[in-house]
Every structure is written in C-alpha cells, then in structure tokens.
C-alpha cells in the first residue's frame, strides 16, 4: 500500500502536505508533487493537510484517478524530481486551478 498524489494538486501545489510527512517521501516537480511509494509508510497524516484533497490511499483512489498510482511510482523511480520537506508558497494561480477538473494534461515533468 502507498498514498498517492492525484490531479487536484496540479497547478496548485500547496505543499502543506510535505511539512507533516515523517519520512520525507514527497518529490517536487514543476507544477505538482508525487509520493515515492517505496518510502511512504502509510501513516495518512498528509491526507487532511491538503486543501484540495489531492491525496488518497492507493486502495481508495477514485476510478478516474487510478492512473496516478503509476504516475507517482514512475516519476519516483526515475529520480527526476528532488525531495521536498518544507512548505513553500503555492503556485501563482492556485485559487483558479483549485476549481478546475481534468488537469492531467497539464502535468509537467
Ligand atoms: Fe508521508 Fe505518511 Fe503521507 Fe506517506 S502517508 S506520504 S508517509 S505523510
Ligand atoms: Fe499538492 Fe495538496 Fe500537497 S495540493 S502539494 S498534495 S497539500
């Protein structure tokens, strides 16, 4: 089992989640985060921290978000993105993008 960052994070990237993770398993990309499934200890403390409810346990992923399990795993495995464990400012237009659905197409690597 692992926890997974889903599309609600894209272009918002609030980063409240990273402050509470006890094992520093969030990785930061240009406009979203992922969770490294090899590091996540399934503690769930990050879930209520996300203002847009982007984080799910893999077994609870909504049907239209299941592809994010592989996205989180593949990006983590690639080593492309650095670890983030300190909260920073969200993205400039986070309020606008928090309302937008179907943001998968905007994920930047
Ligand atoms: Fe970190 Fe726990 Fe969230 Fe996994 S579930 S990403 S270990 S805070
Ligand atoms: Fe993304 Fe939510 Fe964390 S928007 S950066 S998963 S607090």
């Amino acid at each position: 089992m692992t926890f997974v960052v889903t599309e609600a994070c894209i272009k918002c990237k609030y980063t409240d989640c990273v402050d509470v993770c006890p094992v520093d398993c969030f990785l930061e990309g240009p406009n979203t985060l992922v969770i490294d499934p090899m590091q996540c200890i399934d503690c769930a403390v990050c879930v209520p921290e996300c203002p847009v409810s982007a984080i799910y346990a893999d077994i609870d992923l909504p049907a239209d978000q299941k592809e994010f399990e592989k996205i989180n795993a593949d990006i983590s495995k690639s080593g492309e993105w650095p670890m983030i464990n300190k909260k920073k400012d969200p993205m400039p237009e986070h309020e606008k993008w928090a309302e937008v659905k179907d943001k998968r197409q905007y994920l930047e690597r």
Side-chain angles (χ1 to χ4, degrees):
M1 191 177 149
T2 183
F3 281 66
V4 176
V5 178
T6 63
E7 79 172 10
C9 183
I10 296 169
K11 285 185 173 277
C12 290
K13 208 164 74 169
Y14 287 100
T15 69
D16 302 66
C17 55
V18 307
D19 264 348
V20 299
C21 180
V23 294
D24 296 347
C25 60
F26 283 93
L27 306 174
E28 183 184 17
N31 65 6
T32 193
L33 301 190
V34 292
I35 290 170
D36 183 346
M38 301 302 286
Q39 303 294 331
C40 178
I41 57 169
D42 308 328
C43 70
V45 300
C46 55
V47 173
E49 298 299 319
C50 179
V52 289
S53 302
I55 306 172
Y56 290 85
D58 53 4
I59 52 171
D60 295 330
L61 279 167
D64 65 352
Q65 299 295 306
K66 287 203 189 302
E67 69 174 313
F68 281 85
E69 185 172 1
K70 184 167 164 38
I71 290 169
N72 280 236
D74 287 351
I75 291 173
S76 298
K77 205 170 169 185
S78 75
E80 288 166 40
W81 291 3
M83 186 270 283
I84 175 172
N85 62 5
K86 295 271 186 302
K87 181 173 165 53
K88 58 197 271 190
D89 289 342
M91 298 205 71
E93 296 192 305
H94 61 93
E95 285 173 343
K96 173 185 141 192
W97 286 100
E99 307 296 320
V100 178
K101 303 288 179 212
D102 298 329
K103 296 191 285 185
R104 167 67 184 88
Q105 61 193 298
Y106 303 115
L107 190 153
E108 294 174 31
R109 290 184 70 164

